[in-house]
């Protein structure tokens, strides 16, 4: 399984649709991170790009994100990608906390691009 983290400067980007790139982490059967790869972010906002099907085709099952609009959540869910919002900090720490069960989806959704929730 793979998890995706919208990344900027080694940290979770506050809004997944505007991230610099995605860090894809591959997990083994015991949920250990066995590899990491960088995937550049396409132009445009996440819900208006083709990022969800691309991530799904790469085996991504979970998106650990800061925040995102409902359109992006819907598209990720339609591509069978679980969304966990409310993440922040260094990507390695976020992944470790999620794997330890310390991070749950905070259900924070913005409804416009100038939202103060991200």
């Amino acid at each position: 399984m793979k998890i995706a983290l919208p990344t900027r400067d080694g940290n979770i980007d506050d809004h997944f649709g505007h991230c610099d790139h995605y860090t894809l982490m591959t997990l083994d059967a015991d949920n250990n991170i066995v590899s990491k790869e960088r995937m550049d972010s396409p132009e445009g906002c996440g819900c208006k790009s083709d990022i969800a099907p691309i991530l799904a085709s790469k085996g991504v099952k979970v998106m650990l994100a800061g925040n995102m609009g409902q359109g992006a959540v819907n598209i990720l869910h339609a591509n069978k990608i679980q969304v966990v919002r409310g993440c922040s900090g260094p990507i390695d720490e976020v992944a470790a906390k999620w794997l330890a069960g310390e991070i749950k989806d905070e259900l924070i959704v913005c409804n416009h691009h100038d939202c103060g929730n991200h």
Side-chain angles (χ1 to χ4, degrees):
M1 177 175 86
K2 289 187 183 180
I3 59 175
L5 300 94
T7 306
R8 183 174 302 277
D9 300 324
N11 293 301
I12 294 287
D13 197 308
D14 289 340
H15 196 290
F16 112 106
H18 300 281
C19 69
D20 178 62
H21 65 279
Y22 296 91
T23 301
L24 307 183
M25 297 183 180
T26 302
L27 308 177
D28 65 14
D30 295 322
N31 280 340
N32 296 307
I33 298 168
V34 295
S35 69
K36 286 192 272 188
E37 65 182 286
R38 176 190 169 114
M39 187 181 100
D40 288 334
S41 179
E43 295 271 335
C45 187
C47 62
K48 296 176 184 150
S49 72
D50 60 352
I51 192 62
I54 292 170
L55 291 168
S57 73
K58 291 183 169 283
V60 171
K61 300 293 182 195
V62 177
M63 170 72 67
L64 301 178
N67 193 17
M68 65 182 67
Q70 189 60 47
V73 172
N74 294 342
I75 291 170
L76 288 163
H77 283 169
N79 283 273
K80 298 182 175 33
I81 298 174
Q82 175 190 356
V83 177
V84 179
R85 292 158 286 186
C87 302
S88 64
I91 59 170
D92 291 326
E93 289 178 20
V94 169
K97 286 180 181 179
W98 179 76
L99 288 167
E102 298 173 15
I103 295 177
K104 304 285 184 222
D105 187 12
E106 292 189 11
L107 304 173
I108 302 168
V109 178
C110 70
N111 57 13
H112 58 283
H113 290 280
D114 294 60
C115 178
N117 286 333
H118 58 78

